[in-house]
Each structure stands twice: as structure tokens, then as C-alpha cells.
Amino acid sequence: MTTTEDHAPSARAVTIQDVARLAGVSTATVSRALALPDRVTEATREAVLSAIRETGYTPNAAARSLRAKSTRMVLVLLPGIGNSFFTPVLNALEEVFSDQGYGVLVGYTRQSRRRETHYARVIRAGQVDGVLVVTGNVPRDEEFVAVPDQVPISLMFAGIPGGDRFSVFDVDNRAAAATMVGHMIAAGHRRIAHITGPEGSIETNERFGGYCDALTAAGLAVEESLVWRGAGNFDFVSGDRAAARYFALDDRPTAVFAAADEIALGFIRSLKTGGVSVPRDVSVGGFDDTEYAVHYDPALTTMRQPRTEMGRLAAEDLLLRMSGKGGVKPPTHVRLPCELVLRESIRRL
Amino acid sequence: MTTTEDHAPSARAVTIQDVARLAGVSTATVSRALALPDRVTEATREAVLSAIRETGYTPNAAARSLRAKSTRMVLVLLPGIGNSFFTPVLNALEEVFSDQGYGVLVGYTRQSRRRETHYARVIRAGQVDGVLVVTGNVPRDEEFVAVPDQVPISLMFAGIPGGDRFSVFDVDNRAAAATMVGHMIAAGHRRIAHITGPEGSIETNERFGGYCDALTAAGLAVEESLVWRGAGNFDFVSGDRAAARYFALDDRPTAVFAAADEIALGFIRSLKTGGVSVPRDVSVGGFDDTEYAVHYDPALTTMRQPRTEMGRLAAEDLLLRMSGKGGVKPPTHVRLPCELVLRESIRRL
DNA sequence: ATGAAAGCGCTAACAT
DNA sequence: ATGTTAGCGCTTTCAT
């Protein structure tokens, strides 16, 4: 192999200077021809454009950012537990933002303070014009305290109670959970267990609250032995662990509400391995309606969260708040409806 | 709500000037105290650090990039068909890069020329120091032609034949596919079908090649009626469509090799709906070993691609190539081994 | 309509 | 060891 790389150092990148020289105008005119085409004569615009084509000029992003005090980039903060819930969200975000010429920087916080500090610094360094937090928790880091004053921030899927500094895009987790459990009750179930999400997350608390609400409304007691807590994250493993608790029980529930689809899927799979069949022996409901829910056997009955729509709306709101056009847009709270998707994993008793 | 947002315009961000003034030194010294701590006395370093703490100073990224001609950002180009294959890859990439102080910009090309052009421009604008293409195809856009000379580029999961301008991180798709089909043959299967990936992708061709190799090596003919092409992407829908072809056949295969796990899962699911059981009536093998393969019923026998490891290695290589330390590191080709993961979806005949 | 020139915040020669 | 200064590439007044 004879190739020797010759990046950066090699051919000096073409600058606005080169274009100006070639077109026989000043750099200011080149800049104008690009940004405000109707403020230059057609002749000069043509000359500039042709010089640009000839040189292959692309404006330097750093110089532009430095001058314009805007990077046209947003930071999307994800938990990074690598579950597939976020795939369509990120997809929708990237679509809207890139269409508007914004870049999407992704950051995985992984529940690590160090990483949160890292990304707080990214924001404070002026590297992004806005932030989308898709983690369920606003980073606790003190460095984050000052951050909302610097750039607009939005929270997705779980809002901070009382925070009017952020736009919030979420669902009514509590009501949605109550609907699911209410559906189980309507199907004749009386002993209903709940596999919670990770300890301390807002969604976990809300969905547990909804579970209690539905039980209470039906005159049913919340039994501690049927609330399977601290199983882990919103993932398969949590479902596996919950299955162990199911098997350990003498008086088993006839239905189980899992706080997320992946938990439900892991649970069902472990039950099968133990010879228990869903929904024949026990009914299972999930939450989210991720891609795999419908393809599973049994197809999972679950609460659909409108992830793509949420992503789109959140992106559009942030775009508006970043642009500052038409006065500064105040943060909003948008609550989208969930939908109970009936499939095969819950049966009538 | 009384909150009115006051971003950017409000409090002017603190600059190196402010720190210098407060510490009673020059800006150069502040810069040094940060970048080369041992080139200043301990006393001044202390003074600077304390001034930084007091002011909450964070160096401006755009200014630094402009001056240093390095953005400490990489672009990760994904196909964006939103399948879960890429989740662990992106996870690994973000982990390595952010640990080294690099930001990860994600771009979904979505097989759209417009988007490829868009991201070519991002590169040419000097917005990133390196690029990772995780799409299986190098963007065809002519704007991309000049790009490899500007920043190092790496290809993941599928290399371009004959391209020594890129680092390539892949697996031997052909051999891996042959191993899978060889396993089916060893299990007694003689009529083996293949569901291909999307038309024109390198992986699709390679895996089909391996399928043929294995058949040929066993003295079996490749029957056109058993090669199910153009089903779509590496997704469930392709599996659904393939199921229709299975049902339409008089002389059905006893085993089916799907070019990806999601295809296999969609296929199995559709078979079930049609009353055909896996592996009782037909065996199915997948490719990738995504998270869902093991949790499915039946658990999917598949070829594991080392996605996380691949991400880590590719990131480390790119880091080295970007740094330019120790001479410019030439592009490499790293080929990682796949692993046949035996589970429940293929049975001995 | 166009040009000249200042300056965004930082780093790195060069000078002391 | 520290300060002075030029300048990265661009946009945007302010003149003309």
C-alpha cells in the first residue's frame, strides 16, 4: 500500500477570501451574496456563485459560529442503557433538525455524574444552541444549574414537577397505567401484580401510582407481595428477575402489568422457560409499544407512547425557542395521549 | 407563569479576558495554565484556577476550533432505517469518543441523496475531525469524493472493495453465511432457502455468496425458487413478505437462512400466524445476534456480529488517525470474527 | 450596491 | 515564566 494520508495540512481549505478574489469582489459581498441574495445585483451574485462553484467553497462552521454566536447544533441527552425505546425518538429528532440545518450531538449520560458534568461543559462552552433531555431525569449536576439560562432546554417523556424553565413533552403516565390495569380488571382479573421500572425514575413512580389508582378504584387492595420493585432498568433482565418472584409465590397473580415492553418480554420469556404460558396461565401487559411488541408471541398488549410524534413536536418547539423569532417563545408543556393497544397477551378470565 | 426566558442575550458569557483580568495575568497565561500546566508557576496556576472557579469560565468551543483547526467532533453516519442493530454500535462509539473529549454528531442518511449532500457539506465545513460510516455504503454523492482528503473516514460493517483511503472494520460476511448454511446442512437439511437483505447492499451480496458457497460445497444446487430476493430492508416486513413466498411453495424448504435477525423474527412470526411452527416444521437461522434474538420464542440461532467491540475498535483507530501523533496513521482493515450462536430455531432432521 | 475594517474568543509565535 | 500580538474565517456595522 502506497497511500499516505494527507489530511488537514495538505491543501489549505478554501476560504471566503479565495472566493472574493476570484470573483473580484470583497469578502463582505461574498457573505452577502450567500446570506441576503437580494442585497446584491444579479451580476455580482452570479460572479460569486460561479467562483464558489469553481473553488468548491464551503463556509467554515467554527468561524461562522464564533461570529454569529450560534452553532446550529443541539444536544440530545439519552440515558444510554441501550434499549430500543429511543431509536424512533432519535430518528424523528434527527429528521426535523437536519432538515432545518441543525446538527444533532448525542450524549449518553449512563447515570454517571462524570458524564453529566462533561455534557454540562459542552453546553457551557457554547457548543450547542439547545438541549433535549430524553432521560427521564434532569442531570443532578450543579453545573447544570446555570445552563437553562444559557440555552433553551426541553424534557421528553418525563417532566420535572414545578419546572417552568423547560419545555416538557410527556404523556400522562399515571392515567395510562391506570387504563392498562383497569383493562385487566375489566377482563376479570383480581390479583394483578406490577413490575416497576428503575428505582427513583419519574415514570416508575407515575406508573406505579396509576396501578394503585386502578386497583383502589375497583375496591382492590395494593398488596406489597405483588409489587415487584427494584428489578433494574427498563430491560429484559428486569423481566427475568420478576419471573423468579412470580415462581416463588404461592398465591400467584392472574395478570401482571410491566412498566415497559422490554420488561414484559423478558418476563414472558422466562415464564415460558419455566413452563408457564402467556396468556393461558397469566396475562401480561406492557408499556411503550416498541417495535418488538407486535412481533412477539404472544403479541403484546401494551400502552402505545407516540414516540415519533413526540420527537417531532419537541424538535419543532426547540427550534422555535432557539430562533428567538417573534419574541422569545416561552417553554410549553405538551402532553400527548397514549393508546391502549389490544393484542394477545391479556385474556378474559 | 411569570418566567420570561432570557437566553444568550442576557449575561454576556465569561471569556478568557475576564479570567485574565481577575487573576491579574495575561490571556496567554490563562490559556497556558489550562493547556500546559507545568509551563506556569504554581502560584499563577492557582490564581488562574481560582479566577476560573469564581467566574465559572468555560472556554468557547467555536473560538478554540477556529484557532486550533480542530473541532473535537466526529460524525457518525447511519442508514436510519431505525433498526436496533445500531444501538450498541452507537453506544460504544459515544463511550469511547466522549471519554476522549470528542463529541458525536449523528446523521441519518436514509438512502436519500439530499441528506448525503447535507452531511458532505458538514464535513467540508470543517465541523468534524473524522467520520464513521455505518451504513454499508459510502455515500454516492460527488461531494463526498473530495472528503477523504480532508478528514479521516472509517467504514463499519461493510468495506468498499479496493478502497485504501478508508479504515474498514467488518466481518467476513461471506464466510459467516457459509458457516450458518453449513450448519444447516450438517443438521441434515437439503432444501435450504435464503431471504436476502436489501438489493444492492454489500452485506446482502456477501451473505448470498456464502449461502451459495455452502450449498455448492455440499454438492447442492442453488435453486432460484428458494432465493427470496428484494424483500425490502433488514427488517420485520421483509420476513413477513418472505413468509408469503414460503406458503406459496409446493415443495417447501426445511430450513431458511435469513440475512438478518429482524428478517428472521418477522418470518417466524408470520409462519406462526399461518400455523407453521419453528423449528418443528421449518428451521430458521438469522444473522447479527441482536438483543431480541435470545429472548424470542424460539430463541434464534444466529451469527453473532461483535457490534460493541467493533464500535470500540473503530473509535480508537479513528482517534489515532485524527490525532496525527506519531506520524499519520494509515487506514487499516480490521476483520473481526463472527460466532455461530446455537439456540432453538434450527433442529436436526 | 459595495468595500473597509473591526472583532467574535482563543492559541501560539515571538519577545522579554 | 510571562506578556504582546497576530490571526484563525467569518459577519456586520459604517462609509462611500
Side-chain angles (χ1 to χ4, degrees), chain B residues 127-160:
Chain B
Q127 215 166 137
V128 296
D129 291 347
V131 183
L132 243 6
V133 180
V134 202
T135 55
N137 302 312
V138 172
R140 311 140 293 183
D141 196 278
E142 49 198 26
E143 297 221 35
F144 252 96
V145 174
V147 153
D149 300 327
Q150 211 166 343
V151 297
I153 298 188
S154 296
L155 272 28
M156 294 184 70
F157 297 106
I160 298 305

Side-chain angles (χ1 to χ4, degrees), chain B:
Chain B
M1 154 154 66
T2 54
T3 315
T4 29
E5 291 193 293
D6 48 357
H7 300 306
S10 63
R12 202 186 97 280
V14 7
T15 75
I16 201 171
Q17 296 274 4
D18 304 319
V19 176
R21 203 172 307 121
L22 186 62
V25 298
S26 74
T27 61
T29 301
V30 175
S31 185
R32 273 187 215 109
L34 255 28
L36 319 98
D38 23 285
R39 298 248 340 253
V40 300
T41 60
E42 186 163 337
T44 47
R45 192 169 56 243
E46 284 309 323
V48 168
L49 259 28
S50 127
I52 286 176
R53 241 174 283 119
E54 195 170 328
T55 54
Y57 168 70
T58 308
N60 177 281
R64 177 174 278 183
S65 295
L66 180 57
R67 182 63 230 225
K69 299 205 166 310
S70 146
T71 57
R72 297 190 76 82
M73 296 226 299
V74 300
L75 174 64
V76 176
L77 244 27
L78 300 162
I81 45 172
N83 100 25
S84 71
F85 177 85
F86 301 102
T87 305
V89 181
L90 194 53
N91 225 304
L93 292 176
E94 194 274 352
E95 174 141 26
V96 177
F97 283 122
S98 75
D99 273 0
Q100 300 300 317
Y102 278 76
V104 176
L105 203 57
V106 297
Y108 291 117
T109 52
R110 295 189 180 79
Q111 296 152 275
S112 137
R113 186 156 209 131
R114 217 192 75 243
R115 291 171 202 285
E116 292 175 1
T117 307
H118 171 74
Y119 282 109
R121 193 157 296 149
V122 166
I123 300 170
R124 303 232 327 246
Q127 215 166 137
V128 296
D129 291 347
V131 183
L132 243 6
V133 180
V134 202
T135 55
N137 302 312
V138 172
R140 311 140 293 183
D141 196 278
E142 49 198 26
E143 297 221 35
F144 252 96
V145 174
V147 153
D149 300 327
Q150 211 166 343
V151 297
I153 298 188
S154 296
L155 272 28
M156 294 184 70
F157 297 106
I160 298 305
D164 56 355
R165 310 156 75 200
F166 312 109
S167 275
V168 175
F169 292 80
D170 66 358
V171 301
D172 189 338
N173 280 290
R174 182 161 192 148
T179 300
M180 169 62 81
V181 177
H183 169 70
M184 291 169 163
I185 293 169
H189 296 274
R190 288 300 171 265
R191 277 186 75 71
I192 302 173
H194 177 42
I195 313 174
T196 73
E199 217 61 65
S201 106
I202 295 171
E203 295 98 313
T204 296
N205 295 339
E206 290 292 299
R207 291 174 199 170
F208 172 62
Y211 162 79
C212 296
D213 291 349
L215 253 36
T216 307
L220 266 23
V222 176
E223 283 186 42
E224 265 310 312
S225 67
L226 294 184
V227 177
W228 302 335
R229 281 204 183 75
N233 269 311
F234 291 119
D235 57 16
F236 293 122
V237 183
S238 300
D240 295 338
R241 278 202 272 267
R245 310 210 27 188
Y246 173 88
F247 285 121
L249 238 47
D250 286 328
D251 191 7
R252 296 177 177 172
T254 65
V256 177
F257 165 46
D261 284 356
E262 311 225 340
I263 299 178
L265 263 27
F267 181 67
I268 295 176
R269 168 76 195 165
S270 286
L271 290 189
K272 271 186 193 168
T273 308
V276 170
S277 166
V278 175
R280 197 195 59 203
D281 304 322
V282 56
S283 290
V284 176
F287 205 103
D288 290 344
D289 194 24
T290 58
E291 284 58 43
Y292 292 85
V294 64
H295 285 95
Y296 208 69
D297 178 39
L300 192 67
T301 289
T302 187
M303 284 303 296
R304 194 181 90 86
Q305 286 206 67
R307 290 172 292 160
T308 298
E309 192 185 354
M310 203 84 114
R312 251 198 283 275
L313 291 177
E316 281 158 8
D317 169 75
L318 193 64
L319 243 11
L320 250 37
R321 293 206 292 146
M322 291 186 302
S323 82
K325 272 194 295 218
V328 208
K329 185 180 182 302
T332 49
H333 181 175
V334 174
R335 177 153 272 188
L336 257 36
C338 282
E339 183 194 350
L340 180 61
V341 182
L342 268 20
R343 290 199 273 247
E344 308 164 354
S345 62
I346 298 180
R347 76 172 184 97
R348 285 209 93 74
L349 235 41

